[in-house]
């Protein structure tokens, strides 16, 4: 059982857990336990196949709810458990998580099959659907499975990629179900800004949470947006590099939100393990030079640029083609400045284009942020302080202050990076408030 001391808070959350017929179904017991320990209510929906791997009694006991499998009730339709239960469940939940999700169930979910309590509920659910695939390596990499996962993503569903490692077949590769604690973390992140199903009374309202209508608005339709995210890597030799701990989360959330609002979004991403947000055109790069080239190529067409990448300021002058030997007691590295991507954009800024930079400052944040607005000809800069808890690198939350070139500033509260992305886009796409310093 993983460590439960650092579990996220899922109090009052209602989770539907779909369990399907993979050997990884045994991990569903731990998953139910972690979810309930986090405060969530859990309703398990199992396929017939899953019950060959783990008993409904086990999952029912851990979740303290009867496990549901069949879409048709045993008794007459007037009994508890009538045939409309899948609709009620879909309304009841905050999130439907399918873990493990077999290739078979993924295919059914992709194509709208409706032959079990799990698939029928998925089809009628207004809450988001998150799938955690688990299968053998070759089944996972098969074009059909990958196509299905891509379709699910494009439909607005959440796909947690399978993990790499030993598989039940004896093969090694990608196909393992992500660990239960990682799934619980992801559940918490996905739900961070969503209203609670428990607070809604929408049994009679028309569906407004189907994936296709989950876009909050289309206020950015017709706009071209360029976002950069993640770290860059500057090679010293084939196996070593200069880099930083950026995960890319902030920029990915900005790209996700802009696409949700209807913008045409290009995301230039440094090395990161994040999934491409739905509807976003992603360009992967490694070094600052590569990021610079990718951005310059697109700069004239874009209306809004958000440079959230943690770009390396220096790169080794002479990276070695072969692994450096440790012959010297001391090693002096010769570095040169990398191009300032944002400053170059600022120099060629066209009318109507909005440039947003990020500043990560440990000292004199506001002064440095304002200086960067001037030096790089920015419209906005987003200041965060990596030494503050819950802000900066590697966290799912952030606390930032926005500064506008005209002097306006606004301090936002500590919130998820998704909420920061929404607030940021709200601010930079609307007229600047005239009141000075809302902080
Ligand atoms: O590193 P610095 O504090 O100057 O970064 C401020 C902004 O400039 C960030 O948005 C960062 O992405 C961008 N930047 C850049 N090219 C660099 C360094 C930083 O575009 N070489």
């Amino acid at each position: 059982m993983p460590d439960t001391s650092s579990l996220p808070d899922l109090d009052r959350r209602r989770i539907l857990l779909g369990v399907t017929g993979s050997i990884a179904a045994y991990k569903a017991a731990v998953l139910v336990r972690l979810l309930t320990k986090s405060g969530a209510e859990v309703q398990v929906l199992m396929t017939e196949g899953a019950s060959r791997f783990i008993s409904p009694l086990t999952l029912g006991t851990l979740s303290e709810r009867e496990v549901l499998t069949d879409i048709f009730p045993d008794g007459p339709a007037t009994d508890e458990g009538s045939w409309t239960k899948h609709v009620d469940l879909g309304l009841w939940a905050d999130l439907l998580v399918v873990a493990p999700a077999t290739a078979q169930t993924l295919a059914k979910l992709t194509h709208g099959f409706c032959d079990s309590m799990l698939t029928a509920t998925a089809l009628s659910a207004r809450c988001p659907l998150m799938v955690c695939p688990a299968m053998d390596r070759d089944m996972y990499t098969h074009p059909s499975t990958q196509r299905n996962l891509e379709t699910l993503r494009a439909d607005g569903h959440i796909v947690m990629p399978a993990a790499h490692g030993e598989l039940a077949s004896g093969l090694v590769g990608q196909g393992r179900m992500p660990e239960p604690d990682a799934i619980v973390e992801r559940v918490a992140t996905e739900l961070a800004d969503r209203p609670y199903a428990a607070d809604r009374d929408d049994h009679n309202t028309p569906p407004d949470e189907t994936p296709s209508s989950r876009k909050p608005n289309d206020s950015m339709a017709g706009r071209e947006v360029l976002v950069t995210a993640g770290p860059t890597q500057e090679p010293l030799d084939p196996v070593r590099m200069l880099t930083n701990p950026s995960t890319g989360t902030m920029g990915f959330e900005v790209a996700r939100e802009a696409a949700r609002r209807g913008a045409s979004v290009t995301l230039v991403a440094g090395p990161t393990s994040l999934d491409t947000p739905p509807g976003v055109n992603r360009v992967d790069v490694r070094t600052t030079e590569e990021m610079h080239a990718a951005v310059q190529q697109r700069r004239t067409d874009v209306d809004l640029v958000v440079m959230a990448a943690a770009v390396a300021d220096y790169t080794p002058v002479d990276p070695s083609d072969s692994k450096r030997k440790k012959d010297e007691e001391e090693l002096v590295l010769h570095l040169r400045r990398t191009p300032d991507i944002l400053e170059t954009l600022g120099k060629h800024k066209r009318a109507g284009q909005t440039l947003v930079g990020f500043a990560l400052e440990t000292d004199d944040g506001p002064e440095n942020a304002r200086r960067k607005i001037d030096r790089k000809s920015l419209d906005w800069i987003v200041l965060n302080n990596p030494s503050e808890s819950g802000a900066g690198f590697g966290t799912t939350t952030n606390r930032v202050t926005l500064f506008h070139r005209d002097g306006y500033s606004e301090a936002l509260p500590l919130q998820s990076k998704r909420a920061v992305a929404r607030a940021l886009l709200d601010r930079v796409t609307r007229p600047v408030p005239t009141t000075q310093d809302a902080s």
Side-chain angles (χ1 to χ4, degrees):
M1 180 84 178
D3 177 21
T4 55
S5 60
S6 58
L7 282 173
D9 179 11
L10 291 174
D11 198 31
R12 297 180 62 242
R13 287 299 189 186
R14 298 164 171 179
I15 309 292
L16 289 169
L17 176 62
V19 182
T20 72
S22 149
I23 180 65
Y26 79 92
K27 292 188 192 170
V30 178
L31 185 52
V32 173
R33 193 86 180 101
L34 293 182
L35 287 168
T36 54
K37 277 250 173 210
S38 303
E41 274 184 77
V42 181
Q43 169 67 59
V44 177
L45 311 174
M46 263 172 124
T47 61
E48 287 287 343
S51 56
R52 308 263 182 117
F53 289 95
I54 184 164
S55 116
L57 185 61
T58 306
L59 298 183
T61 306
L62 289 171
S63 62
E64 296 180 9
R65 282 169 171 268
E66 186 199 350
V67 169
L68 303 170
T69 301
D70 202 347
I71 188 170
F72 298 108
D74 288 337
T78 46
D79 279 5
E80 254 259 65
S82 87
W83 65 271
T84 57
K85 198 161 200 161
H86 56 289
V87 179
D88 293 334
L89 287 169
L91 291 171
W92 171 84
D94 286 294
L95 184 69
L96 166 55
V97 184
V98 185
T102 56
Q104 160 94 332
T105 296
L106 288 173
K108 287 183 178 177
L109 293 172
T110 306
H111 297 286
F113 278 50
C114 182
D115 58 351
S116 68
M117 186 57 100
L118 169 55
T119 50
T121 305
L123 209 52
S124 58
R126 291 184 194 175
C127 64
L129 166 68
M130 171 170 145
V131 295
C132 305
M135 64 200 73
D136 201 37
R137 184 186 68 190
D138 297 329
M139 294 170 81
Y140 187 69
T141 53
H142 194 282
S144 311
T145 305
Q146 288 302 315
R147 204 164 41 237
N148 289 339
L149 290 174
E150 208 37 66
T151 305
L152 287 169
R153 272 194 201 100
D155 284 348
H157 301 303
I158 305 152
V159 177
M160 238 187 130
H164 193 277
E166 277 179 32
L167 301 166
S169 61
L171 293 175
V172 173
Q174 200 173 6
R176 284 170 66 88
M177 184 175 100
E179 290 307 316
D181 49 350
I183 297 176
V184 175
E185 268 302 320
R186 182 70 182 261
V187 166
T189 307
E190 294 297 336
L191 289 176
D193 302 315
R194 296 189 67 87
Y196 285 74
D199 294 338
R200 287 194 325 244
D201 180 17
D202 59 359
H203 279 229
N204 294 316
T205 56
D208 57 355
E209 286 283 321
T210 55
S212 56
S213 61
R214 214 179 286 143
K215 283 184 182 173
N217 57 51
D218 62 356
S219 59
M220 295 181 71
R223 299 229 201 171
E224 291 282 337
V225 176
L226 178 67
V227 182
T228 66
T232 59
Q233 293 179 351
E234 309 299 328
L236 287 160
D237 67 23
V239 293
R240 302 185 183 94
M241 63 195 147
L242 297 177
T243 187
N244 62 67
S246 167
T247 55
T249 311
M250 192 63 248
F252 274 60
E253 290 300 344
V254 172
R256 177 196 307 278
E257 186 58 23
R260 272 187 179 184
R261 295 181 185 200
S264 159
V265 183
T266 301
L267 173 64
V268 180
T272 134
S273 56
L274 299 176
D275 288 341
T276 310
V280 167
N281 169 30
R282 173 172 176 171
V283 179
D284 285 313
V285 296
R286 184 179 184 205
T287 63
T288 303
E289 278 288 355
E290 287 171 19
M291 186 173 280
H292 185 60
V295 169
Q296 295 312 314
Q297 216 184 346
R298 292 164 178 85
R299 73 178 156 80
T300 45
D301 304 329
V302 290
D303 304 302
L304 170 67
V305 180
V306 180
M307 278 284 311
V311 181
D313 294 316
Y314 289 90
T315 190
V317 168
D318 191 16
S320 167
D321 289 338
S322 50
K323 188 181 168 194
R324 285 170 188 265
K325 298 275 173 276
K326 46 180 182 239
D327 300 334
E328 315 287 337
E329 219 23 68
E330 286 189 2
L331 175 68
V332 178
L333 292 176
H334 192 186
L335 307 177
R336 66 174 158 77
R337 279 289 303 268
T338 52
D340 194 309
I341 305 169
L342 200 46
E343 199 171 319
T344 314
L345 289 177
K347 284 191 182 130
H348 299 97
K349 192 168 145 184
R350 66 164 169 76
Q353 196 171 46
T354 304
L355 294 186
V356 183
F358 272 70
L360 198 69
E361 305 287 344
T362 50
D363 306 295
D364 304 327
E367 295 73 28
N368 282 323
R370 289 207 182 281
R371 235 173 277 142
K372 282 178 190 174
I373 290 189
D374 292 340
R375 199 178 72 237
K376 306 194 186 199
S377 314
L378 306 181
D379 298 281
W380 291 92
I381 200 152
V382 184
L383 171 67
N384 50 35
N385 181 343
S387 36
E388 242 185 77
S389 89
F393 286 143
T395 60
T396 52
T397 55
N398 209 357
R399 188 203 303 274
V400 304
T401 306
L402 312 181
F403 293 88
H404 186 257
R405 66 180 147 76
D406 290 347
Y408 173 84
S409 72
E410 183 174 344
L412 301 180
L414 180 69
Q415 54 194 332
S416 70
K417 286 184 173 169
R418 184 161 297 178
V420 172
R422 288 182 185 152
L424 173 63
L425 290 178
D426 282 347
R427 188 49 76 224
V428 304
T429 55
R430 290 185 193 151
V432 184
T434 43
T435 33
Q436 284 288 300
D437 205 336
S439 56

